[in-house]
Amino acid sequence: MNRKILKLENLLRFHTICRQLHSLCQRRMLAQWRHMFSSAYAVQTAQLYTRPWQTDALLRAALSQRRLLVTKKEKRSQKSPLPSTKSKKEVEVWLGMTVEELARAMEKDIDCVYESLMNTAIDIDSLETHSRLDEVWIKEVIKKSGMKLKWSKLKQDKVRENKDAVKRPQADPALLIPRSPVVTIMGHVDHGKTTLLDKLRKTQVAAMEAGGITQHIGAFLVSLPSGEKITFLDTPGHAAFSAMRARGTQVTDIVILVVAADDGVMKQTVESIQHAKDAHVPIVLAINKCDKAEADPEKVKKELLAHDVVCEDYGGDVQAVHVSALTGENMMALAEATIALAEMLELKADPTGAVEGTVIESFTDKGRGPVTTAIIQRGTLRKGSILVAGKSWAKVRLMFDENGRAVNEAYPSMPVGIIGWRDLPSAGDEILEVESEPRAREVVDWRKYEQEQEKNKEDLKLIEEKRKEHQEAHRKDREKYGTVHWKERSYIKYREKRQQQPLKPKEKLERDSNVLPVIVKGDVDGSVEAILNVMDTYDASHECELDLVHFGVGDISENDVNLAETFHGVIYGFNVNAGNVIQQLAAKKGVKIKLHKIIYRLIEDLQEELSSRLPCIVEEHPIGEASILATFSITEGKKKVPVAGCRVQKGQIEKQKKFKLIRNGHVIWKGSLISLKHHKDDTSVVKTGMDCGLSLDEEKIEFKVGDAIICYEEKEVPAKTSWDPGF
């Protein structure tokens, strides 16, 4: 820059000097010829020329402008040229997108997707708007369209803070105080568990149970004459209530295993032993029904050895007490054995701080709403406490004991009924106390959010599996149509589409008859759980599909009837009621309502309903049997007809019935007769011991001496489901 400015300055100076010399020459000439011009002319001539000081000012202005221009130009040249890049459009995509969805996400026409996939390995002709694209083809389309890829993700990518409620840390041993033992009575159905508990409570619980069997978990606080208190849990012994028994062992300290002395170790006895072992709970053996003549307590003890239950008589550590629940024999000895074991266990709990417990049972009461039976394990529960269990919370409005009496406080090991739940928690849910209602809502919201995320993961997994299935099907289609001419390919696709015609009304009716939609309502959560567990064992879907439409706790409602009408289903109620209005509505809409109080009766009814949906079985009932003694043929017109000479050995042969030809134990032919004759007369019936001649409706069949002809009739017999629930 400096060189250019100096060069310019030199040029301007040279030009100025030239002008000054030229001016000087002119002045000299003017001085010589001044006398020739007037003064006016001299003044005008002097004004035509620039004075030296004006020239210098112009030079300075020109030089400053030149310096400014040159400086700006060089600054621009020193700046690095920036590339003019246009930001790419971002397209959000996901696995399993269809052609139409991808085009919509790109805000382009569907043809744009097809154009991008041309000259690739994918078969464009097989692509429809609803066809799903693989990940590689989605990337290819986005790349060729000049856009940027962005995979859509689940909402869980935005990590939420864990708001769940948790148990308190272990309490200081100095704060713990002795508590009553929680004892669960377990054993096989009808071995006398509830009757044994009746004697301890001096009540008649067994008399109130439907069918004489327990179908709920009962929680009772029993006070002994010695002043000791024991909380008893009476679990069902029926095979359907395995989950209830397992739940009973999870909250218990001691298991009293009841075995009938006249029946021995049974299936549910073994299951109860396994539940106790899994929960690491000690066992006290109560051998019941010792008052019976056929009672054999020693046999029971020996059978239990095979299941690692060794009584003290055989060198083990399991106390065995011979009792009779019916007469009350040795009841106090059983209670003392339980108390002694509890003292050895040194059971203690912390009665202070936030409450912790477990839901034993839950149900809906018409006047009181959702109600739970719970065992308090830590802290002291009072009215007004805010509790959380599962995805439900409660502000305790009322508490009551097993006799329905209101209580103000519930201590550790105490069974208590709780009223005030916003929703019905599930049996087995953990109960935790929180500080306020907003905190309870926060915990419930968090747990629902976690459940939703788990469901999203499962759904995504299923979507991925379906995507792989579609991908595999697409690959097979490509292999199938890859070498076929496009005209032939179009014809094959048209033919396949014709084969996928919608079902005719008759076919649709037959298909719907092979599905049994059911709605299950129960009195308590545990009962519904038991019924659903039995239904989970259903393994005859190839015969009739069992579709669980809805289940819940409480009496049958109008919504249940409407739902059953929509799905053409059946409503099963267990220990619930259906009012007259509901029954009239169901009758009007043609909906079946089946109410039961015993679980195995309900399952038997369900089996019968499933069997009624199956097509009838055609059975063959033999009417008569004849043996072939001779064969010959007769001529009728221009053809020969084979005839068998027979003698009826059993029953009778009737021409209008169906027949089958048996040779060496194999059925050769089935059909009808075209003629039946006794001697030369046509007849419709041939009885035992009579000879006859007969010809079949199929001429190609050849008779042989010694073949048997069976006359039978077909009868339709109702089919029975092959499902065996196990009891």
Side-chain angles (χ1 to χ4, degrees):
M1 183 185 74
N2 294 334
R3 288 181 181 178
K4 290 180 180 179
I5 293 173
L6 289 172
K7 187 176 180 181
L8 180 63
E9 288 179 351
N10 291 334
L11 287 172
L12 289 172
R13 284 174 183 169
F14 177 75
H15 182 67
T16 304
I17 290 169
C18 290
R19 289 186 67 180
Q20 286 177 352
L21 289 172
H22 180 69
S23 178
L24 183 61
C25 292
Q26 284 184 341
R27 285 195 193 104
R28 287 178 179 175
M29 290 176 66
L30 286 170
Q32 291 176 1
W33 299 95
R34 186 171 293 175
H35 61 279
M36 296 175 62
F37 296 93
S38 62
S39 59
Y41 174 79
V43 173
Q44 291 175 358
T45 305
Q47 289 176 352
L48 293 172
Y49 299 97
T50 308
R51 294 183 176 83
W53 65 268
Q54 291 176 331
T55 303
D56 293 339
L58 289 171
L59 280 172
R60 282 195 297 273
L63 287 172
S64 65
Q65 290 295 325
R66 174 63 181 173
R67 286 192 188 100
L68 182 62
L69 291 172
V70 172
T71 304
K72 286 183 178 180
K73 188 175 180 180
E74 287 194 354
K75 282 182 180 179
R76 283 198 301 269
S77 63
Q78 286 175 2
K79 291 180 181 178
S80 59
L82 295 174
S84 58
T85 57
K86 188 177 179 181
S87 60
K88 293 183 178 180
K89 181 183 177 182
E90 198 172 55
V91 180
E92 188 174 5
V93 298
W94 58 89
L95 292 175
M97 283 186 87
T98 63
V99 174
E100 185 178 10
E101 289 171 342
L102 181 57
R104 195 184 304 121
M106 294 167 57
E107 297 181 358
K108 298 276 187 180
D109 193 12
I110 292 178
D111 293 337
C112 178
V113 178
Y114 288 130
E115 289 173 8
S116 301
L117 292 173
M118 288 180 69
N119 301 322
T120 60
I122 195 169
D123 185 9
I124 300 293
D125 294 335
S126 66
L127 273 184
E128 304 290 342
T129 55
H130 59 272
S131 300
R132 298 194 177 276
L133 296 171
D134 296 341
E135 180 181 342
V136 62
W137 304 126
I138 294 174
K139 289 180 178 178
E140 184 72 15
V141 172
I142 299 296
K143 181 181 176 183
K144 287 188 176 180
S145 301
M147 298 181 182
K148 189 177 179 182
L149 189 74
K150 179 187 176 184
W151 291 103
S152 66
K153 298 180 181 179
L154 295 176
K155 294 179 181 178
Q156 67 177 13
D157 289 346
K158 186 179 179 181
V159 179
R160 281 180 56 172
E161 184 182 353
N162 191 333
K163 298 290 186 180
D164 203 1
V166 294
K167 286 185 174 182
R168 291 183 288 150
Q170 291 292 332
D172 185 357
L175 299 175
L176 302 180
I177 61 171
R179 64 173 176 83
S180 304
V182 179
V183 179
T184 300
I185 299 180
M186 304 182 74
H188 192 70
V189 63
D190 202 30
H191 274 201
K193 299 181 299 297
T194 307
T195 308
L196 185 146
L197 188 57
D198 290 347
K199 281 295 177 182
L200 293 171
R201 297 179 61 209
K202 293 183 174 59
T203 59
Q204 292 295 319
V205 176
M208 294 184 288
E209 294 283 3
I213 64 171
T214 301
Q215 301 179 113
H216 311 105
I217 287 184
F220 314 102
L221 186 65
V222 176
S223 298
L224 302 177
S226 60
E228 300 285 349
K229 291 184 178 181
I230 304 176
T231 296
F232 282 102
L233 300 181
D234 182 19
T235 61
H238 196 275
F241 295 99
S242 175
M244 280 193 188
R245 289 190 291 277
R247 190 159 57 246
T249 58
Q250 296 301 319
V251 296
T252 194
D253 302 311
I254 300 169
V255 167
I256 293 181
L257 182 64
V258 179
V259 185
D262 61 337
D263 206 8
V265 176
M266 303 297 285
K267 184 178 179 181
Q268 270 68 58
T269 310
V270 177
E271 185 193 89
S272 299
I273 293 169
Q274 191 58 49
H275 284 321
K277 286 181 178 179
D278 292 343
H280 304 289
V281 177
I283 294 174
V284 174
L285 177 62
I287 304 176
N288 195 20
K289 302 185 181 181
C290 289
D291 56 315
K292 287 191 173 183
E294 60 271 23
D296 189 355
E298 293 304 317
K299 178 190 172 185
V300 172
K301 294 177 184 178
K302 289 176 182 177
E303 288 178 349
L304 288 171
L305 290 174
H307 304 286
D308 296 329
V309 178
V310 185
C311 299
E312 291 177 339
D313 298 349
Y314 292 89
D317 57 354
V318 176
Q319 300 178 77
V321 184
H322 300 184
V323 299
S324 172
L326 195 62
T327 63
E329 180 186 351
N330 279 341
M331 285 292 104
M332 291 311 302
L334 179 61
E336 288 170 2
T338 306
I339 292 295
L341 182 56
E343 288 175 355
M344 291 174 61
L345 295 174
E346 295 183 350
L347 303 173
K348 294 183 177 181
D350 176 16
T352 62
V355 172
E356 296 174 11
T358 302
V359 176
I360 299 299
E361 197 57 273
S362 60
F363 59 95
T364 302
D365 187 271
K366 272 189 176 180
R368 299 182 291 185
V371 182
T372 60
T373 302
I375 293 286
I376 305 303
Q377 294 166 312
R378 189 176 181 184
T380 302
L381 182 62
R382 297 179 177 87
K383 285 178 65 175
S385 298
I386 309 298
L387 305 178
V388 173
K391 290 176 283 297
S392 178
W393 66 278
K395 183 176 182 180
V396 180
R397 291 192 286 110
L398 180 66
M399 296 184 294
F400 56 91
D401 60 14
E402 71 275 12
N403 297 315
R405 293 191 297 262
V407 294
N408 295 321
E409 293 181 336
Y411 300 98
S413 297
M414 183 175 174
V416 64
I418 302 172
I419 297 174
W421 295 95
R422 297 302 187 270
D423 298 299
L424 193 67
S426 299
D429 283 346
E430 182 183 61
I431 295 175
L432 296 174
E433 184 180 3
V434 294
E435 55 271 17
S436 63
E437 291 186 22
R439 172 62 179 147
R441 293 191 188 94
E442 188 178 55
V443 172
V444 171
D445 289 344
W446 168 258
R447 292 179 178 179
K448 288 179 179 178
Y449 168 77
E450 275 193 319
Q451 184 185 34
E452 182 184 348
Q453 293 305 305
E454 288 298 322
K455 186 177 182 300
N456 287 343
K457 285 182 181 179
E458 291 174 3
D459 290 346
L460 194 62
K461 188 177 178 181
L462 288 173
I463 290 170
E464 183 63 20
E465 289 175 359
K466 289 290 184 184
R467 188 191 70 83
K468 288 180 180 178
E469 289 177 9
H470 285 298
Q471 186 176 355
E472 183 64 20
H474 175 65
R475 185 186 64 78
K476 289 180 180 178
D477 286 344
R478 284 178 58 191
E479 291 176 357
K480 182 178 178 182
Y481 301 127
T483 57
V484 181
H485 190 265
W486 69 270
K487 290 184 178 179
E488 187 178 352
R489 181 167 62 238
S490 300
Y491 172 70
I492 293 171
K493 288 184 178 180
Y494 169 75
R495 193 171 58 190
E496 289 177 350
K497 194 172 182 180
R498 284 291 301 272
Q499 291 175 354
Q500 298 174 355
Q501 293 294 331
L503 294 174
K504 296 178 181 178
K506 186 178 179 182
E507 294 173 342
K508 189 174 185 300
L509 185 65
E510 289 177 357
R511 186 195 65 182
D512 292 343
S513 66
N514 288 332
V515 180
L516 175 59
V518 296
I519 295 171
V520 177
K521 297 298 287 288
D523 56 341
V524 296
D525 185 72
S527 299
V528 176
E529 178 190 27
I531 295 168
L532 298 187
N533 287 342
V534 174
M535 290 176 64
D536 284 341
T537 65
Y538 184 71
D539 55 359
S541 295
H542 59 284
E543 298 173 348
C544 179
E545 187 177 345
L546 182 61
D547 183 16
L548 179 63
V549 176
H550 172 68
F551 62 89
V553 176
D555 289 340
I556 295 168
S557 65
E558 185 179 346
N559 289 336
D560 299 326
V561 175
N562 293 334
L563 199 60
E565 181 194 19
T566 303
F567 287 91
H568 307 287
V570 180
I571 301 174
Y572 284 94
F574 182 72
N575 276 335
V576 295
N577 297 318
N580 292 331
V581 176
I582 297 298
Q583 290 185 356
Q584 290 171 7
L585 179 65
K588 183 180 178 181
K589 295 189 174 185
V591 174
K592 293 181 184 177
I593 296 179
K594 301 191 174 185
L595 304 176
H596 295 275
K597 291 188 178 296
I598 302 174
I599 191 167
Y600 58 78
R601 298 290 185 209
L602 185 148
I603 300 303
E604 287 173 359
D605 194 324
L606 181 59
Q607 286 178 293
E608 291 174 5
E609 189 67 35
L610 286 165
S611 299
S612 69
R613 301 288 176 116
L614 302 180
C616 291
I617 298 173
V618 177
E619 291 185 351
E620 296 178 357
H621 292 269
I623 297 173
E625 181 180 344
S627 58
I628 298 177
L629 303 177
T631 62
F632 52 92
S633 59
I634 60 173
T635 303
E636 290 184 356
K638 294 183 179 181
K639 60 181 180 179
K640 290 185 176 182
V641 178
V643 177
C646 307
R647 179 172 292 162
V648 179
Q649 305 291 343
K650 296 178 185 177
Q652 62 183 24
I653 291 177
E654 299 178 20
K655 185 181 179 181
Q656 302 301 322
K657 303 297 183 183
K658 293 189 175 183
F659 292 80
K660 58 184 176 182
L661 176 64
I662 297 177
R663 181 178 299 158
N664 298 327
H666 300 287
V667 177
I668 304 299
W669 162 88
K670 278 187 176 184
S672 303
L673 302 181
I674 56 173
S675 69
L676 177 65
K677 293 187 177 184
H678 177 60
H679 298 301
K680 292 185 178 181
D681 301 324
D682 290 328
T683 183
S684 59
V685 178
V686 180
K687 296 183 179 180
T688 305
M690 297 175 65
D691 295 335
C692 64
L694 53 85
S695 56
L696 312 180
D697 60 358
E698 189 171 340
E699 299 175 2
K700 294 181 180 180
I701 299 296
E702 293 183 1
F703 297 112
K704 287 187 178 181
V705 176
D707 289 351
I709 298 286
I710 306 295
C711 176
Y712 66 93
E713 62 179 351
E714 293 181 343
K715 289 184 178 180
E716 288 189 348
V717 179
K720 286 189 176 181
T721 179
S722 61
W723 174 43
D724 181 14
F727 53 85

